[in-house]
């Protein structure tokens, strides 16, 4: 099957084939969701190797349990598994996640030709500071911020992934955003002036 044919196959068909044990179909699902799920794990756990392991564990669990998928939102179902895996890792650590993303910076795009080296350096420093602020949040607030502000989930989707109501998501998001803003204010020159008030 050519790459063009693989991307054209509807998600429902991939799920149906995966339920029958078709590994190729499930690998196509992995191709669709691997990057955003890894990004979730990286933001939640703070280091690349642990995030890679958590993402892989989440996909293995999803493949083993694909027959239990009820057919609502595959994205929400997969992210629920990934979020639960991240929670398990955080619980097993019994400490805050590492504040390092190792030497690999997977959260920022490379500089564009229109971006000056200075602007790129500022954007990179801002991204690093935001990640450090995120790992300082309690896991429930961190997950709300990552799902909504990083992954672009709607409140209802985030509530489904987190297993809570929309009002609680909004509350955790508000507290998390406030804490991130406060932590960034403590680093002079990192937070743009329009966010400092």
């Amino acid at each position: 099957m050519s790459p063009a044919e693989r991307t054209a196959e509807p998600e429902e068909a991939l799920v149906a084939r995966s339920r029958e044990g078709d590994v190729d179909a499930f690998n196509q699902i992995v191709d669709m969701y691997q990057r955003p799920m890894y990004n979730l794990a990286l933001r939640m756990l703070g280091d690349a190797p642990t995030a890679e392991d958590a993402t892989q564990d989440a996909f293995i669990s999803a493949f083993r349990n694909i027959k239990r998928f009820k057919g609502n939102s595959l994205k929400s179902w997969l992210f629920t598994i990934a979020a639960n895996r991240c929670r398990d890792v955080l619980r097993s650590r019994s400490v805050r996640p590492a504040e390092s993303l190792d030497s690999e910076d997977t959260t920022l795009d490379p500089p564009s030709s229109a971006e000056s080296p200075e602007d790129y350096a500022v954007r990179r420093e801002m991204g690093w500071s935001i990640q450090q602020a995120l790992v300082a949040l309690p896991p429930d607030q961190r997950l709300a911020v990552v799902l909504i502000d990083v992954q672009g989930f709607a409140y209802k989707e985030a509530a489904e992934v987190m297993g809570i109501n929309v009002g609680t998501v909004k509350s955790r998001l508000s507290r998390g955003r406030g804490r991130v803003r406060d932590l960034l204010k403590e680093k002079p020159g990192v937070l743009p002036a329009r966010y400092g008030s």
Side-chain angles (χ1 to χ4, degrees):
M1 186 179 297
S2 74
E5 290 173 320
R6 289 180 68 162
T7 56
E9 192 165 3
E11 193 173 271
E12 298 79 21
L14 293 174
V15 170
R17 287 175 46 210
S18 297
R19 283 181 167 149
E20 298 298 319
D22 187 328
V23 175
D24 181 60
F26 190 77
N27 284 339
Q28 291 177 59
I29 292 171
V30 171
D31 288 344
M32 292 165 42
Y33 290 103
Q34 184 170 22
R35 185 176 177 117
M37 284 176 60
Y38 169 74
N39 191 24
L40 169 81
L42 184 63
R43 295 289 190 172
M44 289 297 296
L45 301 172
D47 69 273
T50 307
E52 289 168 6
D53 290 346
T55 304
Q56 183 177 25
D57 291 348
F59 279 118
I60 290 169
S61 177
F63 183 69
R64 288 179 178 156
N65 294 290
I66 191 78
K67 290 182 181 180
R68 295 183 190 168
F69 173 60
K70 303 293 184 200
N72 297 325
S73 167
L74 179 63
K75 178 182 174 183
S76 294
W77 184 71
L78 289 171
F79 272 79
T80 299
I81 294 169
N84 287 338
R85 181 64 193 129
C86 290
R87 286 185 190 116
D88 291 344
V89 171
L90 290 172
R91 271 195 295 270
S92 71
R93 284 182 180 173
S94 300
V95 294
R96 293 268 186 224
E99 292 190 17
S100 168
L101 293 178
D102 292 342
S103 60
E104 178 184 3
D105 186 355
T106 59
T107 61
L108 294 174
D109 296 326
S112 68
S113 58
E115 186 175 37
S116 72
E118 294 81 12
D119 289 343
Y120 175 70
V122 167
R123 182 170 58 93
R124 188 176 170 96
E125 176 63 24
M126 181 72 166
W128 178 255
S129 297
I130 288 171
Q131 178 61 27
Q132 288 182 310
L134 280 174
V135 298
L137 294 177
D140 60 340
Q141 292 176 22
R142 187 180 328 145
L143 183 56
V145 171
V146 171
L147 287 174
I148 293 169
D149 290 343
V150 178
Q151 295 292 335
F153 276 55
Y155 290 120
K156 186 176 178 183
E157 279 183 306
E160 187 177 335
V161 169
M162 296 175 74
I164 56 179
N165 65 49
V166 171
T168 305
V169 170
K170 290 180 178 179
S171 173
R172 290 179 182 178
L173 179 65
S174 176
R175 288 195 310 268
R177 283 175 174 168
R179 183 69 181 131
V180 167
R181 187 173 50 249
D182 291 345
L183 289 168
L184 292 177
K185 283 182 185 178
E186 294 173 6
K187 296 186 174 195
V190 171
L191 190 64
R194 65 180 181 268
Y195 299 113
S197 56

